Amino acid sequence: MIDQATRKLLLRLANRYENSAFIEGDPSWWMHQVEGAKNQEATAFVASSLSYGSRSQFMPKIGSLLEMANCDMDHWLRSGAYRKHFDEGDTTCFYRLYNRGTMRCFFDAYSTLLNQYESLGNYVGHRNGLEAVECICHWFAHQGASIVVPKDSTSACKRICMFLRWMVRSDSPVDIGLWADKIDKRSLIMPLDTHVLSEAMKLNLIHSRCASMVSARRLTATLAEVFPDDPLRGDFALFGYGIDNNEKSPA
């Protein structure tokens, strides 16, 4: 059970940090820079897939891809135009663990999905949050692209869970809710990484030190005590808790 003081703190932080200012510097920024639902969805998925490590490093990489795509990620992928920029088997580094051949494999898998199903949303369909994660993992694993997308839902699948937050939650200045009619936001899973885990542990919301899917679901269930209709409001609260703590720390 969450004590009353922590409950009030989480509510206050969620209200404070879920606003348009949150987007600045966040990978969700990119989906707000393009037009059209399919283009927003494709841009969001590519952006989320590269969102690990330092923002100062991955944000320019996402920007470079959107520039190659002339701000139409959906068409760029569907048409195969990305092949001009990424060759099969190219071992040149693109971003950290991803070389250019790895990116080509990922784009090939995504292009095939788009041409077969029209959109990732159509492929996922009506499911709960965990099923949606597993569905996305299955497609890319089957296509041999599990370096970029986790092969299964054993890990926390933080980037997929973050993407689903963007797609499912509506009436938000940050999340765009394109899949609001497909997935119940109450079934979404907290995007969990070591930083979020650390902040959650400071608040005694979770006691596991492992950023696994089991831990992510446990944390989500705990946050649902405070946000029963929308547990992932807790994502903004924990983000804000980390920011507040950093601001209070001595230089």
Side-chain angles (χ1 to χ4, degrees):
M1 292 289 291
I2 299 178
D3 63 69
Q4 199 61 27
T6 302
R7 184 184 300 270
K8 289 180 179 179
L9 174 65
L10 291 171
L11 286 166
R12 177 174 60 80
L13 289 170
N15 290 331
R16 178 180 174 187
Y17 283 95
E18 188 178 5
N19 56 53
S20 57
F22 177 91
I23 298 170
E24 190 66 32
D26 188 73
S28 62
W29 185 83
W30 296 105
M31 67 187 180
H32 291 273
Q33 308 311 306
V34 300
E35 297 181 351
K38 289 181 180 179
N39 191 23
Q40 284 186 303
E41 179 187 296
T43 299
F45 189 65
V46 170
S48 66
S49 297
L50 267 73
S51 297
Y52 73 100
S54 168
R55 287 186 177 190
S56 64
Q57 293 181 330
F58 69 68
M59 288 293 282
K61 287 297 182 181
I62 298 168
S64 71
L65 291 175
L66 204 56
E67 185 175 352
M68 292 176 201
N70 197 27
C71 292
D72 193 342
M73 188 66 71
D74 178 72
H75 175 74
W76 189 65
L77 293 167
R78 194 187 303 275
S79 68
Y82 61 87
R83 298 187 189 112
K84 294 188 297 183
H85 304 275
F86 296 90
D87 293 327
E88 291 184 61
D90 186 347
T91 59
T92 306
C93 179
F94 179 71
Y95 175 61
R96 295 190 69 175
L97 299 177
Y98 303 164
N99 61 39
R100 300 186 78 83
T102 298
M103 294 301 296
R104 169 63 181 265
C105 183
F106 169 61
F107 291 144
D108 281 344
Y110 198 4
S111 179
T112 300
L113 184 150
L114 292 175
N115 283 301
Q116 187 170 337
Y117 291 94
E118 285 297 314
S119 71
L120 184 53
N122 284 347
Y123 166 70
V124 171
H126 295 265
R127 301 176 186 268
N128 65 37
L130 180 60
E131 290 170 344
V133 172
E134 293 173 338
C135 184
I136 292 171
C137 288
H138 174 78
W139 175 270
F140 286 90
H142 185 69
Q143 298 290 324
S146 57
I147 293 178
V148 176
V149 179
K151 64 180 180 179
D152 57 39
S153 60
T154 303
S155 70
C157 298
K158 183 251 184 168
R159 288 170 288 158
I160 297 178
C161 292
M162 179 176 68
F163 167 75
L164 290 173
R165 195 202 83 204
W166 297 348
M167 291 297 102
V168 174
R169 294 184 70 252
S170 56
D171 302 318
S172 169
V174 180
D175 304 325
I176 56 178
L178 298 179
W179 298 4
D181 62 340
K182 298 178 184 292
I183 298 172
D184 189 332
K185 64 185 177 182
R186 291 172 296 183
S187 74
L188 292 174
I189 299 167
M190 184 72 177
L192 182 66
D193 58 17
T194 54
H195 173 71
V196 172
L197 192 62
S198 175
E199 300 306 322
M201 289 178 67
K202 291 174 186 175
L203 288 167
N204 292 316
L205 300 177
I206 195 169
H207 302 289
S208 171
R209 295 182 180 276
C210 178
S212 64
M213 181 56 71
V214 171
S215 295
R217 295 181 72 188
R218 284 176 179 165
L219 178 57
T220 305
T222 300
L223 290 169
E225 295 179 27
V226 182
F227 310 103
D229 296 323
D230 189 5
L232 263 57
R233 287 203 73 210
D235 199 6
F236 297 94
L238 288 178
F239 170 82
Y241 184 69
I243 293 296
D244 284 2
N245 280 346
N246 286 337
E247 289 178 350
K248 291 173 184 175
S249 297

